[in-house]
Amino acid sequence: MPEVDRQVTLDSAVTEEMRKRGLMSRMPLSQAFVVEGAHLYGQLLDFEDLVADKGQETETSHRRLLSFLNMHYRVWDSIVDGDDGDRVDYHGARLHAVIDSPSGDPAAQIARAVALARKLTEAAQKVGQAHGFPSRIRFGIDHGRCLAMTTGRGAHEKDTLFLGRPANHAAKLVGSGSDQGIFLTETAQKRAAAGAVRKSAGIMTLDEAYVQDAVKRYGFDSLDRTASAVARDSAEPSFQFKRPALPLSTVKFAELTPANSIRMGMASIFADIDGFTNFVDQSIQGGSQQIREAVKIVHVIREELNAVLKEDFGGKRVRFIGDCIHGCVAEGERADDAAKSVRQAVLCATAMRSSFDLCLETIAPSAPIDLAVGIEYGQTPMTRLGQRGEDSIRCAASKATIEAERTQQAIEHGGIRLGAVATGIADPAVRKHFSSGRLMSFDSASDLLWTPQAPAVQILRHEPAARPHAASKKSFRG
């Protein structure tokens, strides 16, 4: 892990030069910042309807889905062209942006975020009408302090993270409904300017006069220019798929383009650090030393989970999303092996459990955090979208990625759960022990699945006298 700069400070340490470079490249691994601002999440509501055609995921439906995302990503990318806001991350149909100026003025930051949301809505409508795509978006806004840092290795595989309550609550708000519009959390409502919200039909909604005033004050000209350019651009990218050579870990996102995309049956894994938002908030309140400890824990756990996925199980990390890692595992040299992919994903999850426990034992034995993993299987395309170069977006988008995340979110505290498709295709032992419940250690899982590396198998290799006993137990289990 990197040596973390002891000067962990408020966002005043984020210089103008760093702001203009954009979040993807402005924070080195050795630095972290506590940034106060408005967090904006936008969800493309029609995303799931485009994944499949008449209930079936095909190359045609996936091409249309990726074209849809690429169009919106190109518009959203323009947020970093000025000082009005910073695009933090994309994840499938979701955008995360942060507004941290004017510094020290929560009401103005929230107004700027509201204006950005309205301008993004108008831009989506413009490019959607031009290219025949739906354009409904739901936005969620919260305000407060988050821990900002960069994790990952390699020019094309770094992720900028904003960890803490504001980012988490804005994301939950945008995911809690299917109505389009702009919605503020209770915290954001209290910190917004007087008259920003009013009660309508028993719920608090944004006042339209407030929204219009915010739009007049904050122009986002670069966004308007980009939306007009995308609307005029009739040359949509041609998405061409190939089946990659396995393991997936050998795939390099830097080499992927729309014309050189991959697609095959994959097990999608979402591993979330449960309780980490509260842990980060307490660390921010505790001061610089506790913040440094939180940063250290993030680096260690993030890179260790990624190493387990990549080095031990041949999987591919798509990205870190807040306090979650999204990756994919695939098996089958010449044809997709769905059952084996799910089995490998389950073993990977249990290895993450053992590695996670080792990390906590080494660096933070009393940290009140746990690991929750959701797994689903399906045909999945993987490529890069939006701007070319380092700011292009690593993307894996399918029903499997949607349901794996949804399955993980349904877990209370730590544990493991398989999606409906993964459960149906899993072999009986996997279905019996890992469909839902406690996420056990790798050694225990290996014993139950009778893998070559299982401790029980190793004992039998070195102690032949144990074979009759093991055989009788195996027969009894059958």
Side-chain angles (χ1 to χ4, degrees), residues 90 242 301 446:
Y90 301 116
K242 66 179 182 181
I301 293 178
S446 297

Side-chain angles (χ1 to χ4, degrees), residues 51-313:
V51 171
D53 182 16
K54 297 180 180 179
Q56 296 295 318
E57 287 183 279
T58 63
E59 288 193 8
T60 299
S61 70
H62 282 163
R63 286 192 182 97
R64 180 168 172 79
L65 176 71
L66 295 176
S67 295
F68 168 78
L69 290 178
N70 186 71
M71 177 188 71
H72 285 290
Y73 286 1
R74 287 178 62 192
V75 174
W76 289 351
D77 273 336
S78 65
I79 295 173
V80 301
D81 285 348
D83 295 330
D84 293 321
D86 283 294
R87 182 261 290 168
V88 177
D89 192 21
Y90 301 116
H91 164 48
R94 188 174 295 174
L95 158 76
H96 178 198
V98 62
I99 307 294
D100 63 351
S101 62
S103 181
D105 191 341
Q109 292 169 353
I110 293 169
R112 193 185 287 270
V114 168
L116 175 57
R118 174 57 62 88
K119 297 294 285 189
L120 286 168
T121 300
E122 295 171 354
Q125 292 171 348
K126 178 183 290 187
V127 298
Q129 290 172 1
H131 294 284
F133 282 112
S135 56
R136 297 181 308 129
I137 309 180
R138 176 183 175 88
F139 290 98
I141 298 174
D142 196 21
H143 187 275
R145 295 196 298 168
C146 274
L147 178 60
M149 57 185 293
T150 294
T151 62
R153 301 291 186 269
H156 290 272
E157 299 193 17
K158 290 183 180 179
D159 294 296
T160 298
L161 309 179
F162 274 74
L163 305 172
R165 177 194 54 77
N168 183 270
H169 285 196
K172 287 184 176 179
L173 178 60
V174 81
S176 64
S178 57
D179 296 328
Q180 60 182 328
I182 307 169
F183 301 89
L184 270 59
T185 65
E186 290 186 8
T187 299
Q189 290 176 22
K190 293 175 181 177
R191 297 181 183 179
V197 294
R198 58 183 176 83
K199 184 170 288 189
S200 175
I203 61 174
M204 301 302 293
T205 61
L206 279 173
D207 182 77
E208 182 60 26
Y210 166 80
V211 177
Q212 292 293 339
D213 181 65
V215 171
K216 289 178 182 178
R217 280 190 287 155
Y218 307 112
F220 295 99
D221 294 335
S222 61
L223 200 157
D224 287 334
R225 289 193 301 270
T226 302
S228 296
V230 173
R232 292 192 303 267
D233 188 359
S234 59
E236 296 184 5
S238 175
F239 288 93
Q240 302 297 323
F241 301 121
K242 66 179 182 181
R243 193 176 188 277
L246 297 182
L248 281 179
S249 57
T250 60
V251 172
K252 297 180 180 179
F253 272 111
E255 298 175 356
L256 297 183
T257 64
N260 184 38
S261 302
I262 66 173
R263 180 180 183 269
M264 69 175 297
M266 303 180 191
S268 187
I269 302 173
F270 276 81
D272 179 76
I273 306 176
D274 185 77
F276 199 73
T277 296
N278 290 335
F279 177 71
V280 168
D281 286 343
Q282 293 172 7
S283 298
I284 292 174
Q285 295 171 9
S288 180
Q289 183 55 37
Q290 288 191 32
I291 293 171
R292 290 185 74 253
E293 290 301 311
V295 171
K296 179 173 69 174
I297 291 171
V298 172
H299 277 296
V300 171
I301 293 178
R302 283 282 187 266
E303 294 308 322
E304 182 63 16
L305 295 183
N306 182 56
V308 170
L309 174 69
K310 179 181 179 181
E311 305 298 337
D312 297 328
F313 290 88

Side-chain angles (χ1 to χ4, degrees), residues 155-156 253-254 256 384-394:
H156 290 272
F253 272 111
L256 297 183
R384 288 191 297 135
L385 302 173
Q387 292 183 4
R388 295 180 179 181
E390 291 187 11
D391 283 339
S392 61
I393 310 305
R394 305 186 303 277

